[in-house]
Amino acid sequence: MRNIDIFDTTLRDGEQSAGINLNTAEKIEIARQLERFGATVIESGFPAASPGDFDAVQRIASTVKDSIVTGLARSVRSDIDSAWEALKGGVQPHLHIFLATSPIHMQHKLMKTPEEVVEIAVESVKYARKYFPLVEWSAEDASRSDPEFLAYIVRKVVEAGATTINLPDTVGYATPQEYGAMFRYIKETVPGIERVKLSAHCHNDLGMATANTLAAIENGADQIEGTINGIGERAGNVALEEIAVALHIRKQIYEVETNINLKEIKRTSEMVSQLTGSFIQPNKAVVGKNAFAHESGIHQDGMLKNPLTYEIITPELIGDASTQLVLGKHSGRHAFRDRAIQMGFELDDEKLNKAFAEFKKLADKKKEIVEADLFVLLTDQQISDKETPVYKLESVQVQYDTENIPTATVSVTRPAGEVVREATTGAGSVEAIFNTLERLVEEEAHILDYRVTSIGKGRDALGEAVINMTYAGEAVTGRDVAQDVLEATAKAYLNAVNRQLAKNHVQTEATITT
Ligand code: KIV
Ligand code: ZN
């Protein structure tokens, strides 16, 4: 069977989604999980975009060993130079360069003639190949490009040394038939195309990203690109977990294999959702909360008689053990450590001790600790960064009754170390907390969006709060969990503020060293 490479762009195209901003520690954690998931290529960021992106790409390239790590660059030498600096420490340095090829993009965005575009593409691929053994060239907006021009420019960049050609449906416009036909046409008409990998990259604006990606595979694509949970600009990218499971369940139809470890799907999906703060819709294919829930009587009856009546995918296939009981109040440090290792966490002694203390606190409040709780707790410890100066929540108290105005009293430790305390009212308990915190932080803050969800199931489930806000004029997302949603809310608010401070800190350091 033909093998299809999986190119994951959660940390680049996915991170471009509105409201998502991951820090370096979080990106490294996701990259390590993507390696376990079995991604052939991990696109770790856009090194020339910012010092924070550069740092993350460089650290991921030196951490990940089993997947190829790539970074994005525009077709300009300075971007390629910066990508080389970030990626040269990787096992197989790989660069991803792009240039638009559709009439609308060439004319109105690039303001270049088709001849100029060919020249720039060829020059940038040749320049990149001086450094990189692997160069992927993307024809941005390929699906709206003139097929003959597309075939011509692809031939030119293959001759220039590109090792992968990517044909994106950048704006999610193509139908499966059109997208498949484009692959067939390029395969049949471009001399030398058999020497390079042909890649598909689909966006989901018309909800056809999965169908389009599968059509590309049927028509000769060797690699497909997408993100976990389908996160990405606008309506997102194709969801990799959907492709991996579709290819597995309908193997007889597609007759291809991937190196994806299906048992890592659930965990990868949960980690991406947790760290990006992006909610997975309950009915999302493969990883939604309800993906395996059978509600109607007729379906439940069928399932009891023979699960095959209504179940084509099992939770076990994707490693869904989120409701599995793992540890209890009396579990000791050893059992906790063993479980953490079993779940793939590598915590140093200090982080392990902190995680164990948090676990004990939680076990006192929550009867059953399930894998989902432990996963959140361990991930949070893994990414905790002790160096950055932070605001820390000391206490939050809310006075609420149906007749009076709610009041929140909050105390926090400021980055300089002093403990400050304030009390303010609001229209509701949450607004009272926001109003109070606004007085305690030192720069102007505005809430853009706020959401509370539960981790796992049951009445004593942990509450997770996600806040999109602006702090000192910059948009930032914060999240945190606690047994009580009001505490989670206050912590998520401070998490957003701390993340913005940490981002400024990285930028200031980079300015000082350049
Ligand atoms: O969608 C797109 O065209 C892209 C390119 C940068 C490959 O993400
Ligand atoms: Zn894209």
Side-chain angles (χ1 to χ4, degrees):
M1 272 204 207
R2 213 156 59 87
N3 200 283
I4 300 292
D5 285 346
I6 304 294
F7 178 119
D8 179 281
T9 182
T10 304
L11 296 173
R12 199 277 300 168
D13 227 348
E15 219 239 351
Q16 274 170 230
S17 319
I20 294 185
N21 59 326
L22 296 162
N23 63 31
T24 299
E26 290 163 340
K27 287 182 185 173
I28 294 174
E29 209 40 44
I30 291 178
R32 289 177 63 237
Q33 180 57 29
L34 290 170
E35 196 180 13
R36 280 193 284 265
F37 171 66
T40 319
V41 184
I42 297 172
E43 187 163 45
S44 53
F46 188 168
S50 72
D53 258 55
F54 180 92
D55 178 51
V57 172
Q58 192 171 44
R59 289 177 56 187
I60 292 170
S62 60
T63 306
V64 169
K65 302 288 172 229
D66 296 336
S67 306
I68 294 169
V69 177
T70 192
L72 188 70
R74 289 168 301 177
S75 303
V76 291
R77 286 187 176 206
S78 55
D79 273 26
I80 299 170
D81 291 341
S82 149
W84 174 245
E85 283 310 309
L87 290 157
K88 65 183 178 192
V91 177
Q92 269 183 291
H94 178 297
L95 181 69
H96 180 192
I97 329 177
F98 70 101
L99 192 60
T101 54
S102 64
I104 186 145
H105 276 233
M106 290 192 290
Q107 200 182 331
H108 297 281
K109 188 183 80 171
L110 301 177
M111 289 183 278
K112 302 268 182 234
T113 63
E115 293 72 29
E116 285 169 326
V117 168
V118 174
E119 201 182 311
I120 297 168
V122 167
E123 204 279 326
S124 60
V125 169
K126 280 190 178 157
Y127 185 72
R129 277 307 308 270
K130 286 190 190 157
Y131 304 104
F132 289 90
L134 300 171
V135 172
E136 169 168 328
W137 184 80
S138 283
E140 191 188 10
D141 208 17
S143 55
R144 291 194 299 168
S145 302
D146 169 60
E148 276 179 33
F149 175 68
L150 187 65
Y152 177 69
I153 193 166
V154 166
R155 173 157 74 84
K156 289 293 183 193
V157 292
V158 170
E159 284 167 8
T163 53
T164 300
I165 296 294
N166 182 33
L167 305 177
D169 183 26
T170 302
V171 292
Y173 178 75
T175 65
Q177 201 202 16
E178 287 167 344
Y179 198 60
M182 177 174 71
F183 276 76
R184 202 171 340 111
Y185 174 70
I186 294 295
K187 270 240 155 225
E188 285 170 359
T189 55
V190 175
I193 196 75
E194 66 291 346
R195 294 198 307 271
V196 303
K197 261 202 278 177
L198 199 53
S199 185
H201 177 117
C202 297
H203 282 265
N204 205 26
D205 300 67
L206 294 174
M208 291 197 273
T210 302
N212 284 347
T213 303
L214 293 170
I217 292 173
E218 286 181 296
N219 286 281
D222 310 288
Q223 170 179 285
I224 62 102
E225 308 188 0
T227 60
I228 300 298
N229 300 337
I231 62 170
E233 284 218 75
R234 311 181 309 278
N237 290 58
V238 73
L240 289 178
E241 65 279 4
E242 291 180 17
I243 299 297
V245 171
L247 293 180
H248 174 79
I249 299 286
R250 306 306 313 271
K251 210 179 285 163
Q252 262 77 21
I253 300 287
Y254 293 107
E255 297 181 318
V256 297
E257 285 176 337
T258 71
N259 293 335
I260 293 302
N261 181 357
L262 297 177
K263 290 244 179 292
E264 290 292 335
I265 286 181
K266 186 68 181 174
R267 180 165 169 186
T268 315
S269 160
E270 280 177 355
M271 182 185 283
V272 169
S273 167
Q274 181 189 340
L275 298 185
T276 57
S278 59
F279 180 66
I280 304 173
Q281 71 193 66
N283 59 329
K284 161 87 180 62
V286 181
V287 290
K289 257 188 186 164
N290 295 346
F292 306 105
H294 300 274
E295 277 298 309
S296 90
I298 294 173
H299 286 206
Q300 285 175 355
D301 179 54
M303 284 288 289
L304 288 172
K305 288 176 175 147
N306 181 347
L308 293 179
T309 49
Y310 287 104
E311 188 174 61
I312 61 157
I313 317 166
T314 62
E316 292 74 38
L317 180 79
I318 60 156
D320 185 353
S322 55
T323 54
Q324 208 174 296
L325 249 176
V326 282
L327 295 169
K329 193 174 165 164
H330 302 293
S331 307
R333 200 176 168 286
H334 255 90
F336 181 77
R337 188 174 161 273
D338 287 352
R339 190 74 205 186
I341 292 172
Q342 236 176 58
M343 288 170 70
F345 287 92
E346 291 164 21
L347 300 167
D348 59 28
D349 278 353
E350 193 188 335
K351 284 184 173 173
L352 191 82
N353 288 342
K354 276 197 190 156
F356 185 62
E358 288 300 316
F359 160 73
K360 279 290 180 189
K361 269 197 241 163
L362 181 62
D364 268 345
K365 294 184 197 158
K366 194 171 185 290
K367 229 173 43 227
E368 298 172 341
I369 308 285
V370 295
E371 180 144 327
D373 300 322
L374 214 53
F375 181 75
V376 169
L377 197 149
L378 288 164
T379 307
D380 275 349
Q381 280 308 322
Q382 184 97 301
I383 58 170
S384 66
D385 192 343
K386 30 190 191 303
E387 263 105 50
T388 35
V390 286
Y391 281 95
K392 186 167 170 283
L393 181 72
E394 296 301 336
S395 66
V396 53
Q397 189 204 355
V398 179
Q399 263 182 308
Y400 173 81
D401 66 69
T402 47
E403 303 304 319
N404 293 300
I405 297 170
T407 309
T409 309
V410 183
S411 96
V412 302
T413 304
R414 281 196 170 141
E418 89 254 45
V419 178
V420 282
R421 192 181 161 90
E422 273 284 354
T424 321
T425 58
S429 303
V430 169
E431 201 200 353
I433 291 176
F434 288 157
N435 290 344
T436 312
L437 283 165
E438 235 166 79
R439 293 183 172 199
L440 289 170
V441 295
E442 283 141 304
E443 303 270 358
E444 209 169 299
H446 293 290
I447 302 294
L448 302 174
D449 200 8
Y450 163 67
R451 203 181 57 237
V452 176
T453 42
S454 65
I455 304 278
K457 296 189 175 120
R459 58 196 286 173
D460 63 352
L462 289 176
E464 178 180 47
V466 177
I467 296 175
N468 300 118
M469 61 191 277
T470 56
Y471 184 66
E474 297 282 336
V476 65
T477 303
R479 53 155 289 278
D480 215 322
V481 284
Q483 185 88 56
D484 186 278
V485 291
L486 295 179
E487 183 186 335
T489 301
K491 285 161 100 183
Y493 186 103
L494 292 180
N495 177 250
V497 171
N498 290 334
R499 295 168 74 87
Q500 190 49 41
L501 292 176
K503 220 158 97 187
N504 293 346
H505 186 68
V506 174
Q507 265 154 11
T508 320
E509 278 197 342
T511 324
I512 292 166
T513 53
T514 47

